[in-house]
């Protein structure tokens, strides 16, 4: 179920479908932005005349290449890798690298398209891009991951630079992978160009709050949405999908702000712990031992593990989807509302289907879309670039304070834009229009390029 597009925008969308066949995630991301832009073209008709939207929907550059590498048994493996440099109107391309078997061009384009507007919302000078590979790091040895990363960077390095394109981590790409990628970049270029990759280790140029940033930022944004309605996170019950980096630090910040997270998940099932998820246990299982979530109940006998369970069936006040795209559908949205959910904020990219979004908006609950709610990650990556450029080292407290300020400003901008364009409380419209206008004005200023 998708909204009908404005008559000026539907031909643009049809052209996107025609030019990008089979890329369903990209189609969904474009439609979700276009359905909010009708009022913008009324107020700024010059954007239509100069075909700004058509230009934004077409990446500036798409790079696809093979990655040959040798596994521990000596067998040669071939993967495919991508880097979509989508839009550089506001700054160098900025966006993560994802290593997962599901990766194909359509997913990278959807993520890169979202990144344009998310990065614009941060107020930082960064453009939008994304990359990745269908390589699966699960079950691979450190040596295999190193050989893969070195092979990938041997091709990708020629397209990167701190003033050109700055990748970071994403699903399947953490500090280990960033280290191997940076090492190969340094080796090939003979330059210690710290700002060319973000998500680096703390000992060699990393930001002290980067690991926590996406999860923390999502919770900061949730808190701001509730504050705008005279409420807060204090005493609220929360469920978080996923148990990776974003989920873990969303749980941590939610606890710090007085909420109680009672459930989380991984690809095999869910854990429900009514006393509140024990974070040290979760961190040990997922970050150190890299085990399945079912191990949680070995330590906490009063928790229950449901193999193949649906996290959205657990009653809660606040839901934070922090796993992957399209994980929360219309049926799940109805279940959450029936169980009393009053706020949803997306820690993942596009985790709610169009039908789910429509249900949340019709119910008039607090709903924070990913391009606003999870922008804290890339904002802190931009802070890491700043730190590297100044050859400085910042404290955790200083970086977290900057992150919180950025998330408060993103909320304020989205909230005010939604009111300005006649849809108070509609953060989807507010985020899309705020980000779009910033990029459109920069593109217009630079001429037809």
């Amino acid at each position: 179920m998708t909204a009908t597009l404005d008559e000026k925008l539907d031909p643009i969308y049809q052209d996107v479908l025609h030019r990008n066949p089979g890329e369903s995630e990209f189609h969904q991301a474009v439609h979700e932005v276009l359905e909010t832009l009708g009022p913008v073209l009324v107020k700024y008709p010059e954007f239509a005349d100069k075909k700004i939207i058509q230009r934004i929907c077409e990446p500036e550059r798409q790079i696809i290449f093979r990655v040959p590498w040798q596994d521990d048994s000596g067998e040669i493996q071939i993967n495919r890798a991508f880097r979509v440099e989508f839009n550089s109107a506001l700054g160098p391309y900025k966006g993560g690298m994802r290593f997962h078997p599901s990766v194909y061009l359509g997913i990278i384009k959807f993520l890169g398209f979202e990144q344009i507007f998310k990065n614009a919302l941060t107020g930082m000078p960064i453009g939008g891009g994304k990359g990745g590979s269908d390589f699966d790091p699960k079950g691979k040895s450190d040596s295999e991951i190193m050989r893969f990363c070195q092979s990938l960077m041997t091709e990708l390095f020629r397209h990167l630079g701190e003033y050109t394109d700055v990748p970071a981590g994403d699903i399947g790409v953490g500090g280990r992978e960033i280290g191997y990628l940076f090492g190969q970049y340094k080796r090939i270029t003979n330059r210690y160009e710290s700002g060319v990759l973000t998500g680096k280790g703390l000992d060699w140029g990393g930001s002290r709050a980067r690991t926590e940033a996406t999860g923390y930022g999502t919770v900061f944004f949730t808190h701001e949405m509730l504050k705008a309605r005279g409420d807060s996170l204090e005493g609220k019950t929360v469920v978080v999908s996923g148990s990776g980096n974003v989920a873990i630090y969303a749980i941590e910040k939610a606890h710090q702000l007085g909420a109680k997270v009672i459930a989380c998940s991984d690809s095999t099932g869910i854990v429900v712990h009514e006393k509140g998820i024990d974070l040290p246990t979760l961190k040990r299982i997922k970050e150190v031992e890299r085990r399945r979530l079912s191990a949680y109940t070995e330590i906490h006998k009063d928790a229950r593990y449901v193999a193949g369970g649906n996290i959205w069936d657990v009653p809660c006040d606040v839901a934070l989807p922090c796993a992957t795209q399209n994980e929360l559908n219309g049926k799940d949205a109805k279940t959450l509302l029936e169980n009393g959910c009053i706020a949803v904020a997306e820690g993942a990219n596009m985790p709610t289907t169009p039908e789910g979004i429509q249900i949340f908006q019709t119910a008039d609950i607090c709903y924070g879309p990913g391009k606003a709610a999870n922008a804290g990650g890339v904002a802190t990556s931009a802070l890491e670039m700043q730190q590297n450029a100044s050859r400085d080292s910042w404290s955790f407290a200083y970086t977290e304070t900057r992150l919180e300020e950025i998330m408060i400003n993103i909320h304020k901008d989205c909230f005010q834009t939604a009111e300005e364009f006649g849809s108070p409380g509609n953060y989807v419209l507010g985020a899309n229009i705020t980000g779009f206008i910033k990029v459109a004005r920069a593109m217009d200023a630079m001429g037809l390029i």
Side-chain angles (χ1 to χ4, degrees), residues 423-436:
S423 295
N426 185 339
Y427 291 99
V428 174
L429 180 142
N432 287 342
I433 292 181
T434 301
F436 173 79

Side-chain angles (χ1 to χ4, degrees), residues 85-165:
E85 297 176 333
F86 226 116
N87 191 290
S88 58
L90 295 179
Y93 309 106
K94 185 82 194 79
M97 295 289 290
R98 175 176 294 193
F99 293 172
H100 193 271
S102 66
V103 166
Y104 79 109
L105 185 59
I107 280 185
I108 299 302
K109 281 165 73 172
F110 127 60
L111 292 166
F113 185 75
E114 289 274 294
Q115 203 80 44
I116 300 169
F117 307 104
K118 181 191 302 186
N119 293 2
L121 284 171
T122 68
M124 310 292 277
I126 44 177
K130 204 76 180 185
S133 173
D134 57 5
F135 172 78
D136 188 357
K138 280 187 179 174
K140 304 290 193 301
S141 70
D142 285 354
S143 295
E144 287 175 322
I145 288 170
M146 180 182 72
R147 288 194 290 274
F148 172 80
C149 288
Q150 289 178 341
S151 181
L152 183 146
M153 185 54 81
T154 301
E155 170 58 31
L156 188 61
F157 87 95
R158 69 190 81 244
H159 304 288
L160 306 182
E162 60 186 358
Y163 300 110
T164 308
D165 187 353

Side-chain angles (χ1 to χ4, degrees), residues 389-435:
S390 60
R391 298 289 189 268
D392 203 354
S393 180
W394 297 350
S395 70
F396 184 95
Y398 175 78
T399 312
E400 186 186 1
T401 299
R402 291 284 305 274
L403 167 64
E404 186 173 11
E405 289 170 355
I406 289 167
M407 297 310 298
I408 289 170
N409 284 333
I410 291 173
H411 175 270
K412 182 185 74 177
D413 288 347
C414 294
F415 187 85
Q416 290 177 349
T417 299
E419 290 205 325
E420 179 190 342
F421 283 87
S423 295
N426 185 339
Y427 291 99
V428 174
L429 180 142
N432 287 342
I433 292 181
T434 301

Side-chain angles (χ1 to χ4, degrees), residues 325-361:
Q325 66 268 10
N326 292 325
E327 59 170 299
L328 198 168
N329 61 30
K331 180 174 175 290
D332 299 327
K334 287 176 184 172
T335 301
L336 283 168
L337 292 177
E338 286 165 4
N339 287 332
C341 183
I342 60 169
V344 177
E346 298 182 340
N349 292 305
M350 207 169 73
T352 310
T353 65
E355 185 184 9
I357 294 170
Q358 194 169 52
I359 288 166
F360 291 144
Q361 290 186 318

